[in-house]
Amino acid sequence: MINVPEMFGELVFNDKVMKERLTPEVYKSLHRTIGRGKPLDLNVANSVANAMKEWAIEKGATHFTHWFQPMTGITAEKHDSFISPTGDDGVIMEFSGKELIKGESDASSFPSGGLRATFEARGYTAWDPTSYAFIKDNSLCIPTVFCSWGGEALDMKTPLLRSIEAVNRHAKRVLKALGNEDIKRVISTVGPEQEYFLIDKEIFSQRKDLIYCGRTLFGAQPPKGQEVEHHYYGAIKPRIGAFMKDLDIELWKLGILAKTEHNEAAPAQHELAPIYTTLNTAADHNQITMETMRRVAEKHNLVCLLHEKPFAGVNGSGKHINWSLSTNKGQNLFEPGKSPKENAQFLLFLSAVIRAVDEYQDILRASVATAGNDHRLGASEAPPAIISMFLGDELTDILNAMESGEEYTENEKTEMEIGVDVLPHFPKDTTDRNRTSPFAFTGNKFEFRMPGSALSVAGPSTVINTIVADVLSDFADKLEASEDITRTLNKLIRRTIREHKRIIFNGDGYSDEWKEEAARRGLSNLPKTVDALPAQVADKAVELYARHAIFTKKELESRYEIQLESYCSTLEIEAATMLDLAKKDIIPAVNRYVTELSESLVIQKKAGARVCIATVTEQDQLSLLFDELYKSTIKLEEAVSCIPNYKNDIEAKARYLCDTVLVRMAILRDTCDKIEESTPADMWPMPDYGVLMFDI
Ligand code: ADP
Ligand code: MG
């Protein structure tokens, strides 16, 4: 029997372990650092490091590593062993406070977008004591931030921590103005639902596109796709079940609250959702989860695909970021209250999110823009590239009533109480039915559904926190200056609804009517990464991030460059892989089949028998398609050979790849898929969609 409570967190240097292993003074001092961001004294650091080392060695660790999240989207680590020579040919195991707190790292192999000139190759990592250290593969992993020597953030965690502080600061101000004097902290909470595909390793290894690009570049639709929606929540196959069981155990040991595992809509697609936790930890945990998924899959002779769109024609994979704010006393600020006062507070915070999402829709959109996610957003399975907010009919009615309130009474006080008295509790099932909304209020939290499955939680969460902090800071200014809080609060809510209600949409986000309606409302529609990314470096964004000290202009520009570079290299690799497959595998295979058909015709004619119409037709059609295939391969090859080598104009290069290369890739794929449909399975040079998605 597995003793889950005992196993849970056994590889984590968590609060319980700290209490056991640190002296009360050291423990207290560390807590002050964690809770209030006070700098850690070196003596304390030495004690903590020593306790960590002793504990880690008992758990079998021999190394330690600063574990960080560069802008590659995955995590990085550099391992050092604990050994230190004793001078008499022996070693002892050592780990100092200095080594715990700060590490030097050769930053030159990580993307920096021009922040770090090459001669300045060093960066440093610094311990983030707000996230627990843990053990992985015999290494003590210490969560850290990663910066250049100039102090610029080179990672995902630094801005995330800054945004957590920003929203804390301004939410606290608002709460205080509303009379909650005793709130010490406002905490951002996140529960990320993670979608993924599992396919057989043997089959995977026969697909170069999956190996190099993580997604299929060719593939005709199988006779059965996801039309028959019985996979969703369907019975889990034994092999998948064994994987999920193993995965849960690995995650639990790492203190990750893996909670639900189920099948998703597409064949071979699954989802894991943890129980929510504080944002910084949730982001770290999601990185570890993705990594663990890959590793555990290998053990089961499976491959875990985290790409946003591994297969055309079936759903892609998302990462739904469930986000909320709660006080240090455990009050969820997006939980509708039981009294008018609590409800007023709830509606004010809700208004802040409405305004933030509307005002900064383009920045929010940009936060999920990647080459892979472009295949997902706007397809009729994932949220459209247009940002809108779902609130549900009840809440929308209440807000509308509040907005028009002015017209039927002059006494704002009673009016507001009328408005909020009727505020019902929102059971989840009445608010969560709309699955097409990019940003949905789901009863007591928001669910941002646009992020792709491979994306770090940190990026979009940094944006949500920052934009909400920005609006809250404006609300706080007004409330702090007000002489009649109720009146000001009422005004703020009403004004927000009047000015920002265009962002609220409770209908079908997949429909064409919505696209037209959204255009009428003036909402931005940025379907592609190249359209979406520039918002991140526009003046509005620069000012927003500067106001809250999240990013400097330089940091923003470097990130923009890194994202464009990453976009370009993804597309370049895909185009090259496609050409490789077309020229070395597909064209020769089709050629063999065409030859076979011709030979068969010759034989039939020679034999003097009646020539089969089937053979003639097949040969005719195929040779036409074969010409097409050849032509579209050449066309793509030409496009690739003309990829501009703009060193200084990465935008133009990305634009070219999007408008020319990607378009020709689609044409080539289309022709190929048609040919695949009429080629014998044993002559096709790679496993088909049916095998990929159903043979497991
Ligand atoms: P769904 O129907 O979308 O699958 P779930 O109830 O399973 O919804 O919740 C999805 C995620 O939302 C879970 O990870 C859950 O822990 C998380 N969640 C619940 N409450 C909060 C909250 N207050 N803050 C952040 N995440 C939350
Ligand atoms: Mg969900």
Side-chain angles (χ1 to χ4, degrees), residues 48 71 81 126 147 149 200 206 232 243 339 341 388 443 451 466 508 523 535 581:
V48 177
M71 289 176 280
S81 71
C147 297
W149 282 104
D200 186 86
Q206 295 168 51
Y232 191 59
F243 160 85
S339 65
K341 186 169 171 287
S388 67
T466 308
D508 179 3
L523 299 178
L581 273 166

Side-chain angles (χ1 to χ4, degrees), residues 401-418:
M402 287 199 70
E403 187 205 352
S404 56
E406 232 160 14
E407 286 152 28
Y408 58 78
T409 165
E410 283 179 27
N411 183 340
E412 292 192 349
K413 253 186 183 153
T414 33
E415 194 189 305
M416 190 194 75
E417 299 207 342
I418 293 166

Side-chain angles (χ1 to χ4, degrees), residues 114-181:
L115 265 185
R116 185 185 21 69
T118 29
F119 58 84
E120 208 192 311
R122 288 175 314 160
Y124 70 91
T125 51
W127 182 31
D128 164 25
T130 60
S131 182
Y132 296 139
F134 58 93
I135 293 174
K136 193 183 62 149
D137 298 333
N138 301 327
S139 277
L140 171 66
C141 298
I142 297 146
T144 55
V145 296
F146 179 41
C147 297
S148 74
W149 282 104
E152 287 104 357
L154 291 174
D155 67 346
M156 304 299 293
K157 194 192 260 276
T158 308
L160 181 71
L161 293 175
R162 292 171 183 164
S163 78
I164 289 171
E165 279 317 306
V167 83
N168 164 49
R169 188 173 334 126
H170 298 296
K172 248 172 29 191
R173 284 177 61 206
V174 168
L175 287 173
K176 195 168 168 203
L178 297 181
N180 307 281
E181 301 279 344

Side-chain angles (χ1 to χ4, degrees), residues 594-648:
V594 173
T595 311
E596 196 174 89
L597 284 173
S598 319
E599 281 169 5
S600 157
L601 276 179
V602 172
I603 292 166
Q604 287 179 27
K605 278 184 192 151
K606 251 197 199 151
R610 183 181 155 273
V611 171
C612 293
I613 296 166
T615 324
V616 178
T617 318
E618 179 71 14
Q619 205 242 14
D620 262 10
Q621 282 173 353
L622 198 65
S623 66
L624 283 176
L625 280 171
F626 195 21
D627 287 349
E628 280 302 305
L629 171 62
Y630 186 72
K631 269 190 256 165
S632 36
T633 306
I634 299 291
K635 278 268 198 192
L636 176 60
E637 199 163 33
E638 277 167 13
V640 167
S641 71
C642 295
I643 293 175
N645 188 19
Y646 299 127
K647 261 271 167 264
N648 302 322

